[in-house]
Amino acid sequence: MTVRTRVEESGVAVVTLDRPERHNAIDLETVGELTAVWQRFRHDDTVRAVVLTGAGGRAFSTGIDRSVEVAQPPSPYAMDDPLRTVGPKANDLWKPVVAAVAGMACGGAFYLLGEAEFIVADETAAFFDPHTSYGMVSAYEAVYMAQRMPMGEVARMALMGTAERLSARRAYETGLVSEVAPAGEALTAAMRAASVIASYPTEAVQGTVRALWAAKEAALAQALAQAPQLIALGNLPPGRQAALFAARTPGFRTR
């Protein structure tokens, strides 16, 4: 199992990405388990709110596991992205999701963070998008973040790649994060908020979540529809991506 779940008496379900030895990177097994979790919660009346977090404290998630291989159709107009179904909204779950982030959150982690209602981070959290450093187009990730942050901040994070990381404090200042907790306390703070939400009538809560997402669904859907072509046309061949990854040098600036 790569995903752990538990449901508290308060009605809050805690979903934990449980691959700490891989910085909670998402492989195909994790995609399948998360999809199953969201689908199960749709039908479980005991779950009224969700907290999503990562095990180990070093990372919420570093996105797609680099070992994942997905056969692609031979067309620049189509792409099979295994992370498109990894989030709660992609699975038609309209119960509120609060993300609790400690350590690194980067790349494909933004598929999950992009579909949470809000994010609580502890002081160790660091957000960055490595795609451009390795010859890859940041399309889905940048689109999701553009729903949460000012355009200039999203552009800087996407274009600076591995050279720069966004601190929890700066993420709070830009609106990506709603609360910064002391180190090690992001999950506690997220649970506190989720427990309050879960105490309210779930019909009203889910309706509010649905209304909030309706405000941006059209723009989000239109932007995501362009992502496959942009990735197909802009990504370097896998061999060149791997060479850039292997040649990466340590060091980055946190702001």
Side-chain angles (χ1 to χ4, degrees):
M1 297 287 289
T2 65
V3 177
R4 289 187 284 111
T5 63
R6 73 175 193 271
V7 180
E8 303 285 335
E9 290 185 4
S10 63
V12 177
V14 181
V15 178
T16 304
L17 303 175
D18 194 18
R19 302 185 75 213
E21 74 287 352
R22 298 287 293 175
H23 295 311
N24 299 316
I26 302 168
D27 61 3
L28 296 182
E29 181 181 358
T30 306
V31 172
E33 290 181 19
L34 279 171
T35 299
V37 165
W38 306 135
Q39 291 288 335
R40 187 171 80 247
F41 286 171
R42 291 178 66 219
H43 301 278
D44 187 346
D45 287 341
T46 67
V47 174
R48 298 189 295 278
V50 180
V51 171
L52 174 64
T53 192
R58 295 182 63 191
F60 169 80
S61 175
T62 52
I64 191 76
D65 193 304
R66 289 188 61 82
S67 67
V68 170
E69 294 185 7
V70 178
Q72 297 295 331
S75 167
Y77 301 103
M79 186 190 71
D80 291 335
D81 185 335
L83 297 189
R84 282 302 308 277
T85 61
V86 79
K89 305 303 179 294
N91 287 279
D92 203 30
L93 178 70
W94 299 101
K95 298 177 182 182
V97 177
V98 181
V101 177
M104 293 182 290
C106 63
F110 296 152
Y111 285 72
L112 292 169
L113 297 181
E115 292 197 359
E117 269 54 68
F118 56 90
I119 300 167
V120 176
D122 80 13
E123 295 170 337
T124 70
F127 304 84
F128 62 102
D129 188 349
H131 281 74
T132 55
S133 296
Y134 305 136
M136 304 167 69
V137 174
S138 177
Y140 291 105
E141 296 83 359
V143 167
Y144 279 119
M145 290 301 96
Q147 304 295 309
R148 295 187 172 274
M149 301 165 66
M151 178 63 72
E153 292 294 332
V154 179
R156 179 165 180 161
M157 183 166 65
L159 296 173
M160 291 295 287
T162 59
E164 194 170 83
R165 297 184 181 184
L166 206 63
S167 67
R169 180 55 53 186
R170 183 59 183 157
Y172 173 79
E173 292 170 351
T174 63
L176 174 60
V177 166
S178 70
E179 179 181 353
V180 178
E185 295 186 19
L187 180 58
T188 299
M191 288 290 294
R192 183 166 55 243
S195 295
V196 171
I197 297 167
S199 72
Y200 299 150
T202 189
E203 296 87 352
V205 168
Q206 289 188 51
T208 300
V209 169
R210 195 68 185 83
L212 288 167
W213 281 85
K216 61 182 181 181
E217 276 182 324
L220 181 62
Q222 188 175 32
L224 291 177
Q226 299 182 50
Q229 300 95 299
L230 296 172
I231 293 170
L233 294 170
N235 275 14
L236 294 181
R240 291 183 64 189
Q241 291 180 27
L244 288 171
F245 185 79
R248 69 191 187 281
T249 55
F252 54 86
R253 175 179 180 268
T254 299
R255 66 182 186 94

